[in-house]
Amino acid sequence: MNFLKTTLLAAAATVAVASAAQAADPIMPVPVTPVAPAPSIFDWNGLYAGVRVGVENNTATTDSYGLVGLEIGANAAFDMFVLGGELAVDYLFATSDFAYVEGTVRAGVALAPQVLLYGTVGYGSDLDSVGSGDHILAGLGAEFAVADSVSLDARYVHGWEQGSGSVNAGDIHKFTIGANFHF
């Protein structure tokens, strides 16, 4: 029985010493590393509509006109490539050519999920009864996503007048900036 008492006493002493040693160690919480939310990837696919402001310069008269306009369009994205079409109506200030309508197609590359660089070509008309006022359009632009469904757009478009027969007769230069809401 002496052996049993000694073994139980030794076991109790071991448990007591281990408990005292554990109580002396502070409990350290495991640090939690915050996980940053994944950046949202802007979706260039689908319909969009927006507003724009800018300036148009006519090379024949060297006059410049302020403009405000509305645009509606659609895009299709294929990996980093984006194809689209757009219809726009601009109101030109301080000119008898009060409205300018244009239809364009565009092709671009998304350099980053929120940055699109593109080229555009199309046709525009100032709806004027004097002169042709029709233009073949070509230009470059950049669009930047600033929210999940909002982008800012800046572009330059050159228009070659059709039907006048003279070089630079009524060519136009148009600079615009705008904001688009993507559906």
Side-chain angles (χ1 to χ4, degrees), residues 113-139:
Q114 288 83 9
V115 179
L116 176 67
L117 295 181
Y118 62 89
T120 184
V121 296
Y123 190 79
S125 178
D126 63 9
L127 304 177
D128 184 6
S129 60
V130 179
S132 73
D134 296 336
H135 298 92
I136 300 292
L137 306 172

Side-chain angles (χ1 to χ4, degrees), residues 23-179:
D25 291 339
I27 298 175
M28 300 295 290
V30 176
V32 177
T33 304
V35 177
S40 66
I41 301 215
F42 192 78
D43 186 9
W44 294 104
N45 282 306
L47 297 173
Y48 64 91
V51 295
R52 62 188 188 175
V53 296
V55 63
E56 180 179 304
N57 175 266
N58 187 316
T59 59
T61 62
T62 67
D63 292 332
S64 294
Y65 308 107
L67 66 89
V68 62
L70 300 172
E71 59 192 22
I72 186 167
N75 288 326
F78 307 95
D79 291 326
M80 61 187 273
F81 301 103
V82 178
L83 298 174
E86 183 174 282
L87 180 63
V89 176
D90 294 329
Y91 174 79
L92 302 172
F93 295 99
T95 178
S96 61
D97 302 334
F98 63 91
Y100 192 84
V101 178
E102 64 185 52
T104 58
V105 294
R106 67 184 190 168
V109 176
L111 296 181
Q114 288 83 9
V115 179
L116 176 67
L117 295 181
Y118 62 89
T120 184
V121 296
Y123 190 79
S125 178
D126 63 9
L127 304 177
D128 184 6
S129 60
V130 179
S132 73
D134 296 336
H135 298 92
I136 300 292
L137 306 172
L140 297 171
E143 198 163 350
F144 306 92
V146 294
D148 285 341
S149 57
V150 177
S151 65
L152 299 178
D153 181 50
R155 76 180 84 178
Y156 164 76
V157 173
H158 183 90
W160 291 271
E161 185 174 34
Q162 301 300 299
S164 68
S166 61
V167 177
N168 292 335
D171 290 0
I172 60 170
H173 300 279
K174 185 186 288 193
F175 298 93
T176 59
I177 58 170

